[in-house]
Amino acid sequence: MFKKFSPSTDIAGQTPVKSSVQRAIRAAVLSQWKIEPETLEAIWPKKEGLVHVKCREHISIYTVHGEPLIIQHFDGPYYPTLRLLHKYPYILPKVGIDRGAIRFLLAGAPMMCPGLTSKGGYLPPADAALPAGTPVAIHAEGKDNAVGIGLMKLGSEEMRRINKDVGVEVTTYLGDDLWALKAL
Amino acid sequence: MPSKKNATPANPAPATEELEGPPPPEPVSPVQVLYCAVCSFPPEYCEFGSSLTRCKEWLKENYPDLYDKYYSENALTAKVGTLSLEAQTKLEKDTAKKEAKAEAKADAALKKKLASQITIKRIERNKRKHVTAIHGLDAFGVDLKKASKQFASKFATGSSVTKNLQGQDEVVVQGDVSDEIVDMIEAGVGVLKGIPVDNVEIVEEKKKKGGD
């Protein structure tokens, strides 16, 4: 989503968000991420207004003090930015890719099932299966920090069964143009 | 905005957090992730970046223990892990290639920067009135908006960033101030620091005959 992104051409405008909408976003984030209200309060204090940065192709970025925190595509799920995820790694469910897939991910490619189901990859066990359409943190074999954030295209069980084609669509990854932007 | 380089992992977030801790359930404090100052990745991902050698040097200098963790002999052998030897060598080759490419690109960008021209154009508005258009400042990393602000306050005239006919941004200052601007660039005042004077060129644009 952010492989090519330049603030001067891709941002349509910045507006402060209405407090009623902020409440809705806060509630949605609390229900979608595994985050405690206190922690969310610490990263996004109630008093600080959220700023909505509207970008091309229905991408919305929400910033606090110019620091991008939340990404949304159209009216899909809310994603944290990768820097936020690095600070609070537990807020999204994890999947892992094997070492061979890292360089493809860093080039912006979607993650194929074999990279997730192989020995180096990681998928949650069957009793904690992830349905399709969940935002996930993509971790890499042998690394501590997440390397990207993606959206499950297939359920984790389905992935094991089919083991072919795209498993996780990549939203943002280490080294893309959003990563390069520290402030908006 | 002063971009805080990621050499300092201590960002202001945790400080404010500790202050506002009165609600009984304390907020979970953020994990401080160290980012490489060279490629901005967490150091464990440097090997996939395009500046591995420089990243390695930086890490060795600043965080020798981490350097040992990531690049010592057994770390390297452990890393190969599930990958076959073939794939590993290919990966290394790719990284080297990428690095060379990035270096060449940086070189080219620098050359271009050195070769790029700044044009100061005096444009006739009326018989005795001129505006001065400065084009090409952005190649030297000058924030055009700030530059225009600086000119406006220095000359006490109007100054703005506008698109010229080719659709490129340039700074337009009211009044004929081309010589003064050359002086300012020479002295490197404010945002105009570090621009070689040799690249500055003054042109004059007369209004066409019968224009008015």
Side-chain angles (χ1 to χ4, degrees), chain A residues 31-82:
Chain A
S31 70
Q32 284 172 17
W33 300 356
K34 232 169 62 200
I35 190 167
E36 306 81 4
E38 307 80 51
T39 315
L40 187 62
E41 178 68 29
I43 48 179
W44 167 23
K46 231 172 230 143
K47 276 187 198 145
E48 309 292 350
L50 207 58
V51 175
H52 177 191
V53 180
K54 228 176 174 174
C55 312
R56 45 133 192 132
E57 285 164 26
H58 305 290
I59 294 173
S60 304
I61 305 174
Y62 295 98
T63 64
V64 173
H65 290 311
E67 190 193 346
L69 291 181
I70 304 170
I71 318 164
Q72 189 188 23
H73 180 235
F74 204 43
D75 47 9
Y78 293 99
Y79 304 94
T81 53
L82 197 52

Side-chain angles (χ1 to χ4, degrees), chain A residues 86-97:
Chain A
H86 280 168
K87 282 186 201 155
Y88 302 94
Y90 55 87
I91 58 181
L92 287 184
K94 279 174 196 171
V95 296
I97 54 171

Side-chain angles (χ1 to χ4, degrees), chain A residues 36 38-39 42 83 86-90 99 102-103 106 119 140-141 143-145 147 174-175 179 182, chain B residues 4 6 11 17 20 25 27-28 30-31 33 35 40-42 44-45 47-48 69 79 82 90-91 94:
Chain A
E36 306 81 4
E38 307 80 51
T39 315
R83 278 177 210 277
H86 280 168
K87 282 186 201 155
Y88 302 94
Y90 55 87
R99 213 181 131 72
I102 299 178
R103 69 196 177 97
L106 291 182
K119 203 174 128 231
E141 180 190 3
K143 311 283 183 192
D144 302 324
N145 293 308
V147 63
L174 204 57
W179 173 261
K182 292 199 184 80
Chain B
K4 61 170 188 289
N6 22 42
N11 49 21
E17 215 167 301
E20 47 179 66
V28 180
V31 181
V33 180
Y35 294 123
S40 86
F41 291 2
E44 51 184 4
Y45 288 108
E47 51 174 328
F48 293 100
K69 189 176 157 202
K79 222 165 49 177
T82 55
K90 183 162 183 284
L91 196 104
D94 270 5

Side-chain angles (χ1 to χ4, degrees), chain B residues 79-146:
Chain B
K79 222 165 49 177
V80 178
T82 55
L83 270 193
S84 65
L85 200 65
E86 230 171 279
Q88 182 62 25
T89 42
K90 183 162 183 284
L91 196 104
E92 265 162 29
K93 226 185 197 164
D94 270 5
T95 315
K97 210 158 94 191
K98 219 159 128 195
E99 208 168 317
K101 223 182 201 171
E103 228 155 74
K105 208 171 158 191
D107 262 6
L110 191 72
K111 232 178 231 163
K112 201 173 167 198
K113 186 178 155 185
L114 286 179
S116 58
Q117 283 279 344
I118 290 182
T119 348
I120 299 179
K121 203 188 255 176
R122 195 173 81 144
I123 306 168
E124 198 178 284
R125 279 271 150 216
N126 243 322
K127 269 284 160 278
R128 286 170 48 235
K129 302 204 169 140
H130 298 88
V131 292
T132 313
I134 305 129
H135 175 72
L137 281 178
D138 42 352
F140 295 92
V142 176
D143 188 341
L144 293 184
K145 244 183 184 164
K146 277 188 189 142

